[in-house]
Amino acid sequence: MSYALGIRTEAGLVMAADSRTNAGPDQVSSFRKLHVFEKPGEKFIVAAIVGNLSLAQALVAELRSQDGRGRPKKGYDLLDAPSMADAARMTGQAIRALEAQDGGALTKHGVAFDVTALIGGQIGKERPRLFQVYPAGNFIEASSETPYFQIGERKYGKPVLDQTLNGDAKLGATVRAALLSMDATIHNNATVGWPADILALSRDQWRPALLKRISAEDPYLLELRRRWADGVKDLLTSLPDPPGLAKKNGATGPG
Amino acid sequence: MSYALGIRTEAGLVMAADSRTNAGPDQVSSFRKLHVFEKPGEKFIVAAIVGNLSLAQALVAELRSQDGRGRPKKGYDLLDAPSMADAARMTGQAIRALEAQDGGALTKHGVAFDVTALIGGQIGKERPRLFQVYPAGNFIEASSETPYFQIGERKYGKPVLDQTLNGDAKLGATVRAALLSMDATIHNNATVGWPADILALSRDQWRPALLKRISAEDPYLLELRRRWADGVKDLLTSLPDPPGLAKKNGATGPG
């Protein structure tokens, strides 16, 4: 499994992804799932890709204009997209091209065609936008009503997002919400794991305000987790008891 | 789906269960899933039962010594159990008897034999104990290391338990943790729904310190949710920014 999320706010965009891939509990390794496409001062696009690792890697290669050895190649180039909606559409087309190429062979071997992408970023003066692209190549966009998308193991990390996110959250607070969401997920599902990559993009900057690989021993993560746990415990203790809860001393029972 | 949980602490025991049952999204109704078995001053046992509704109801009937019209009946009687471990074993035996009786017919109709119970309570001077009984009739017991069990839709409501529970939590704080866990779950899964039943048992009381049906409009629930949401938001805002996060004003980029 994997966990990746993207959050769109007025201040910009935050994206994060874990790095664990596994084929069974005894075959675990670490691969980057967050990929940056950048044209300084003009375009900044981040793709978080989860699913079958061979498909995720093929998709990233498909979306880059160079073949990895610096030679230009034919096909898709995410940095050619004139808008973020075009970037999402191009990602969907690249996924469909992959399915046309590999889907049949995978099906023959009982492997699902499983690849999902979050595509976020800012192109030109458009505000930062966030899309989720499905294995069928169709896509949806985050809105002010639902400013975030999660892919992979979504459930454990959702409540903290619902509780803390709002449209006018500062970028730093949004980064913390994303890290706490990642931490809750990794704590509860052994197939999601540190290190995680986290990226914050300020609106109209076209370059990351933060792009960092966070290990399980990262001092900021440890401090954040400790202070969050302490604060949440204190908060729960400070709230009033439910009406009607019998106190042990005042009870008339046999104890 | 359903959500039920039990939490064992030094102070006693807290159990809660939602009330929604559904057969498809257009066939939704409300049934109690928390059932009390009580012999004042001696035994207090609570069963939270989820799964196929006909099996859950049959199991409760099976575990009661009377047939619902006040007439004694043969079979199992949870209040005969000399210890909580015996109560869990008896529940497992009753589940196996149900499977022997109904399992074949259900399988023929493509219906899974699905019934799971949390059995908590205190018998005599033994400390309050908590068990989870599986559809196969086998069972496990909560320990100080893992003081709670969840059944049904577990994931959304787990982080708040992990963050706030510890062995020496007061009963009131444990009730709040259970309600917040239920609230996160109901918020995120439309097949889990209010009202929920919540029960708190103080050690050596053999009667509930709290036994309440909580509706979606319960004033305490609304207040708890609001103060929790505010507190959690304030907490997140108060925590430090990650090191290296570029401030927009200080950035040297084109924005």
Side-chain angles (χ1 to χ4, degrees):
Chain A
M1 204 110 176
S2 294
Y3 180 45
L5 73 164
I7 308 167
R8 197 199 73 166
T9 71
E10 282 304 313
L13 179 81
V14 169
M15 290 182 67
D18 87 309
S19 65
R20 185 158 296 175
T21 74
N22 73 306
D26 57 350
Q27 196 179 339
V28 174
S29 49
S30 181
F31 283 91
R32 185 176 295 271
K33 299 172 192 173
L34 210 63
H35 308 275
V36 169
F37 302 77
E38 187 175 11
K39 199 174 208 174
E42 281 178 50
K43 295 179 179 184
F44 191 89
I45 308 173
V46 196
I49 304 177
V50 309
N52 180 293
L53 180 61
S54 70
L55 293 173
Q57 290 189 343
L59 179 58
V60 175
E62 201 68 33
L63 294 171
R64 295 219 183 266
S65 59
Q66 296 184 331
D67 71 352
R69 295 188 182 80
R71 296 175 304 213
K73 68 172 182 53
K74 282 186 192 168
Y76 306 94
D77 182 352
L78 213 49
L79 288 172
D80 281 345
S83 76
M84 284 303 300
D86 291 300
R89 192 169 300 114
M90 190 182 288
T91 305
Q93 286 164 352
I95 289 176
R96 287 173 184 164
L98 275 181
E99 186 168 21
Q101 179 189 295
D102 292 338
L106 291 176
T107 305
K108 212 171 124 189
H109 285 257
V111 179
F113 184 83
D114 174 24
V115 62
T116 301
L118 297 180
I119 304 288
Q122 181 173 2
I123 292 181
K125 277 295 186 183
E126 242 193 6
R127 62 165 292 170
R129 295 170 72 181
L130 173 65
F131 295 84
Q132 176 171 342
V133 189
Y134 293 99
N138 56 329
F139 57 89
I140 55 176
E141 180 173 10
S143 68
S144 54
E145 219 168 25
T146 300
Y148 64 87
F149 286 140
Q150 304 169 286
I151 54 180
E153 173 58 276
R154 297 168 297 101
K155 293 186 179 185
Y156 296 113
K158 188 168 185 294
V160 69
L161 300 179
D162 289 334
Q163 283 157 13
T164 59
L165 291 184
N166 50 54
D168 57 357
K170 295 227 168 79
L171 216 51
T174 308
V175 167
R176 290 196 283 286
L179 280 178
L180 291 167
S181 177
M182 182 62 70
D183 198 35
T185 308
I186 290 177
H187 177 75
N188 280 300
N189 188 327
T191 69
V192 184
W194 302 107
D197 295 297
I198 187 146
L199 174 134
L201 177 70
S202 278
R203 190 168 180 167
D204 298 339
Q205 296 289 312
W206 303 281
R207 66 194 187 80
L210 181 75
L211 177 54
K212 200 177 170 184
R213 170 149 280 209
I214 309 261
S215 75
E217 300 82 27
D218 182 275
Y220 177 72
L221 173 68
L222 299 182
E223 159 114 0
L224 181 68
R225 180 191 293 151
R226 185 185 59 74
R227 288 178 63 170
W228 177 255
D230 289 350
V232 160
K233 261 195 209 88
D234 289 348
L235 173 61
L236 189 83
T237 307
S238 75
L239 297 174
D241 275 350
L245 178 71
K247 296 293 168 224
K248 201 167 178 177
N249 297 344
T252 56
Chain B
M1 204 111 176
S2 294
Y3 180 45
L5 73 163
I7 309 167
R8 198 199 73 166
T9 71
E10 282 304 313
L13 179 81
V14 169
M15 291 182 66
D18 87 309
S19 65
R20 184 158 296 175
T21 74
N22 72 306
D26 57 351
Q27 196 179 339
V28 175
S29 49
S30 182
F31 284 90
R32 185 177 295 270
K33 299 172 193 173
L34 210 61
H35 308 274
V36 168
F37 301 75
E38 188 176 12
K39 199 174 209 173
E42 282 179 49
K43 294 181 179 182
F44 191 91
I45 307 174
V46 197
I49 303 176
V50 309
N52 181 292
L53 180 60
S54 70
L55 293 174
Q57 290 188 343
L59 180 58
V60 174
E62 200 67 35
L63 294 172
R64 294 219 183 267
S65 59
Q66 297 184 329
D67 70 352
R69 294 187 183 80
R71 295 175 304 213
K73 68 169 183 52
K74 284 186 192 164
Y76 305 94
D77 182 354
L78 214 48
L79 288 173
D80 282 345
S83 76
M84 285 302 300
D86 291 301
R89 193 170 301 115
M90 188 182 289
T91 306
Q93 286 164 351
I95 289 177
R96 287 174 185 165
L98 275 181
E99 186 167 21
Q101 180 188 294
D102 293 338
L106 291 176
T107 305
K108 211 171 124 185
H109 285 258
V111 178
F113 184 82
D114 174 24
V115 62
T116 301
L118 296 180
I119 304 289
Q122 182 173 1
I123 292 181
K125 279 293 186 184
E126 243 193 5
R127 62 166 291 169
R129 295 169 72 180
L130 172 66
F131 295 84
Q132 176 171 343
V133 189
Y134 294 99
N138 56 329
F139 57 89
I140 55 176
E141 179 173 10
S143 67
S144 54
E145 220 169 24
T146 300
Y148 65 87
F149 287 140
Q150 304 169 285
I151 54 180
E153 172 60 277
R154 298 167 299 100
K155 293 186 179 185
Y156 296 114
K158 188 168 185 296
V160 70
L161 300 180
D162 290 334
Q163 283 157 11
T164 59
L165 292 184
N166 49 54
D168 56 356
K170 295 225 169 79
L171 216 51
T174 309
V175 166
R176 291 195 284 287
L179 280 178
L180 291 167
S181 177
M182 182 63 69
D183 198 35
T185 308
I186 289 177
H187 177 75
N188 280 300
N189 187 327
T191 69
V192 184
W194 302 107
D197 295 298
I198 187 146
L199 174 132
L201 176 71
S202 279
R203 190 169 179 168
D204 298 338
Q205 297 288 312
W206 303 281
R207 64 194 187 81
L210 181 76
L211 176 53
K212 200 177 168 184
R213 170 148 281 210
I214 309 262
S215 75
E217 300 81 27
D218 182 272
Y220 177 72
L221 172 68
L222 299 181
E223 159 113 0
L224 181 68
R225 180 190 294 148
R226 185 185 59 73
R227 287 178 62 171
W228 177 256
D230 290 351
V232 160
K233 261 194 208 88
D234 289 349
L235 174 61
L236 189 83
T237 307
S238 75
L239 296 175
D241 274 350
L245 179 71
K247 296 293 168 222
K248 202 164 178 177
N249 297 345
T252 55

